[in-house]
Amino acid sequence: MLTRLSIRNVVLIEALDLDFSGGLGVLTGETGAGKSILLDALGLVLGNRADGSLIRAGAEKASVTATFEFAHMPPAVAELLEDSGIELEPGEAVILRRNLASDGRNKATVNDQPVGVALLRQLGDLLVELHGQHDDRGLVNPRGHRKLLDRFAEIDSAALERNWAHWHEARARLDEARHEVDQIREDQDMLLAHLTELTEIAPQAGEEARLAEARAAMQKGERLTEDLDELRALWDGSDSPLAILRSAARRLDRIAPEHELLAEALAGLDRAIIEAGEAEDKLSHAAQALIHDPEELDQAETRLFELRALARKHRCEVDQLPEKMREMRTALDAIEGGEAQLDALEAAEREAGDAFRVLAAKVHEARISGAKKLDKMVAQELAPLKLDSAKFLTAIEKLPEERWGAHGMDGVEFMISTNPGADFAPLTKIASGGELSRFILALKVALAEQGGAVTMIFDEIDRGVGGAVASAIGERLGRLADGGQVLVVTHSPQVAARGGAHYVIAKSSEGTVTRTSVARLEAAQRQEEIARMLSGTATTDEARAQAEKLMEGV
């Protein structure tokens, strides 16, 4: 709940520090004393639009700080803070601060951590309901009506959310599979053409290296053919060097015994013949090895050209072409497999959708039943609040399927008709702020605290009423405040008499300087203020006695 509000330099407020407690707190004061300034300051720290006119004349900046403390922090508040990266110790207060400078700059913090104004507004929606002339939050906002009805009717919306999530996931998987199959089908003709081309070529791993090596060897043989032919001519025939050596060796062999040197010469000649013979053999073998078929060379070069052209086409290495073929076959196989998978996914999506529709239909019926009960309970509260000509309706609309969601198939909005025969319209269409506040009060009482913010503030909910109606308003505010916190700006002594804490707002002037102040009243001061509210002008003893009676009757 709101435990402290500190305001600096906001319009007529120079410096103000207010401490609040639980239960019902009332704020009173003469007309024009500055109650709206207090609410404007609170709205600023709750994320309302910053306006430079809020800065007190002569000041450079304004600031508002609101402190909230909880016995148990509401889960929604704790979750929002955690999601925003703001860590709090157990039992630590939540402190919202808004600074506004005269040059237009404004700064927002939560527990001294800089945040965007949007987060202040989100927290403000969870922490405070401010109902008044220009109410656009809390129960007035139709975005929360469905959740309030579900809580009132004790509907298990969590089961509906789970079913929706299951259906949504099944639909997402189906959409993804359909997209993949459609994409493959678009490429099918191209894949088939490419695979046919690769199949005809039938590339093999390592084939490029083998072909390149064979082609290089054949090209080398082609270059050496002429030289080898010339060498072969030198070694062949009766007048070849080797034949001459052999002839010389035969002649020398006949005379070698005649002299020692001739024998040695013969031995050297024999060695030369042996070496020359070996050279002849190697030349012969080399010539045999380098023999190439021009047609075979042409085939190798053609094959290499085709393989490398395909590799460039598919933007890969030649050795990766077999893998490309496998990928293409897999992609083509996926068409048949994908279509089979589609059948299974479509069945799963239908099953999940049917399950959601069945549960959503049950929730729809439960909402209709709950809406009737809520409408009846609100109707019982309207007459005592001088709204006996008004009617309340919880409108439930079956939405088209494209607008379904985790909430089900329904749109829910609280509607009213303020005059007999008038059409029902949203709460936001009510012109009178006091009338709107009384509707909200009736709805809050009927909902029996189902949802809503931690602190509720009603601005002049008793406007234009008095007597028994004011007493009825006060009694209901007291019921709402039991175990919680309600603050009400009031002109009604009947409402003020029920306050557990009473604050009076006053305006004073010193020369050309006007200031607004707020003070918490003690028991005797409360009686005097309520007496003033009763008498209207000079406070009389009769008014004091009536004030005492009102306070005793609470």
Side-chain angles (χ1 to χ4, degrees), residues 3-113:
T3 57
R4 187 173 181 81
L5 182 64
S6 297
I7 304 172
R8 298 291 183 271
N9 297 322
V10 174
V11 192
L12 299 180
I13 300 175
E14 183 175 8
L16 179 64
D17 294 295
L18 282 176
D19 293 319
F20 297 96
S21 56
L24 179 61
V26 297
L27 295 92
T28 65
E30 295 182 358
T31 301
K35 296 184 288 293
S36 62
I37 299 173
L38 194 65
L39 295 180
D40 286 342
L42 181 59
L44 185 67
V45 80
L46 296 178
N48 285 356
R49 187 177 65 85
D51 189 338
S53 64
L54 292 174
I55 301 176
R56 189 173 64 88
E60 293 295 323
K61 60 182 179 179
S63 69
V64 185
T65 303
T67 302
F68 295 86
E69 297 181 62
F70 316 93
H72 302 286
M73 183 177 292
V77 176
E79 182 179 353
L80 179 57
L81 291 172
E82 183 180 354
D83 291 344
S84 303
I86 299 173
E87 298 181 0
L88 298 184
E89 297 294 330
E92 185 178 356
V94 176
I95 302 173
L96 311 184
R97 180 174 289 113
R98 185 89 175 271
N99 296 318
L100 180 61
S102 58
D103 61 5
R105 292 177 300 156
N106 74 91
K107 177 182 178 183
T109 64
V110 175
N111 288 53
D112 295 326
Q113 297 186 46

Side-chain angles (χ1 to χ4, degrees), residues 105 195 240 390 397 404:
R105 292 177 300 156
L195 184 59
S240 68
E397 175 194 7
W404 293 2

Side-chain angles (χ1 to χ4, degrees), residues 51-211:
D51 189 338
S53 64
L54 292 174
I55 301 176
R56 189 173 64 88
E60 293 295 323
K61 60 182 179 179
S63 69
V64 185
T65 303
T67 302
F68 295 86
E69 297 181 62
F70 316 93
H72 302 286
M73 183 177 292
V77 176
E79 182 179 353
L80 179 57
L81 291 172
E82 183 180 354
D83 291 344
S84 303
I86 299 173
E87 298 181 0
L88 298 184
E89 297 294 330
E92 185 178 356
V94 176
I95 302 173
L96 311 184
R97 180 174 289 113
R98 185 89 175 271
N99 296 318
L100 180 61
S102 58
D103 61 5
R105 292 177 300 156
N106 74 91
K107 177 182 178 183
T109 64
V110 175
N111 288 53
D112 295 326
Q113 297 186 46
V115 299
V117 175
L119 178 59
L120 279 191
R121 186 171 179 86
Q122 287 179 280
L123 284 170
D125 288 342
L126 296 173
L127 295 170
V128 177
E129 283 183 22
L130 180 56
H131 303 296
Q133 183 72 28
H134 304 293
D135 192 349
D136 66 347
R137 294 185 176 186
L139 293 180
V140 175
N141 193 329
R143 287 182 299 177
H145 293 176
R146 183 171 44 235
K147 185 176 292 186
L148 286 170
L149 175 61
D150 286 354
R151 289 176 178 172
F152 174 81
E154 298 182 347
I155 292 172
D156 184 9
S157 55
L160 196 59
E161 290 174 3
R162 289 193 298 271
N163 274 42
W164 168 260
H166 180 59
W167 184 22
H168 185 72
E169 290 169 4
R171 189 161 48 189
R173 288 193 296 269
L174 176 59
D175 290 343
E176 183 180 358
R178 281 174 173 164
H179 176 74
E180 290 177 356
V181 170
D182 289 344
Q183 191 67 41
I184 291 173
R185 283 172 177 161
E186 288 179 6
D187 299 336
Q188 184 176 15
D189 291 342
M190 182 181 67
L191 283 171
L192 284 170
H194 286 171
L195 184 59
T196 299
E197 184 179 37
L198 284 168
T199 302
E200 290 175 354
I201 296 295
Q204 303 294 323
E207 185 179 7
E208 181 186 27
R210 293 193 298 272
L211 285 172

Side-chain angles (χ1 to χ4, degrees), residues 304-319:
L304 271 175
F305 175 80
E306 291 175 342
L307 290 172
R308 288 171 177 173
L310 281 175
R312 287 193 299 271
K313 182 175 182 178
H314 295 287
R315 297 179 181 179
C316 66
E317 299 296 327
V318 171
D319 283 346

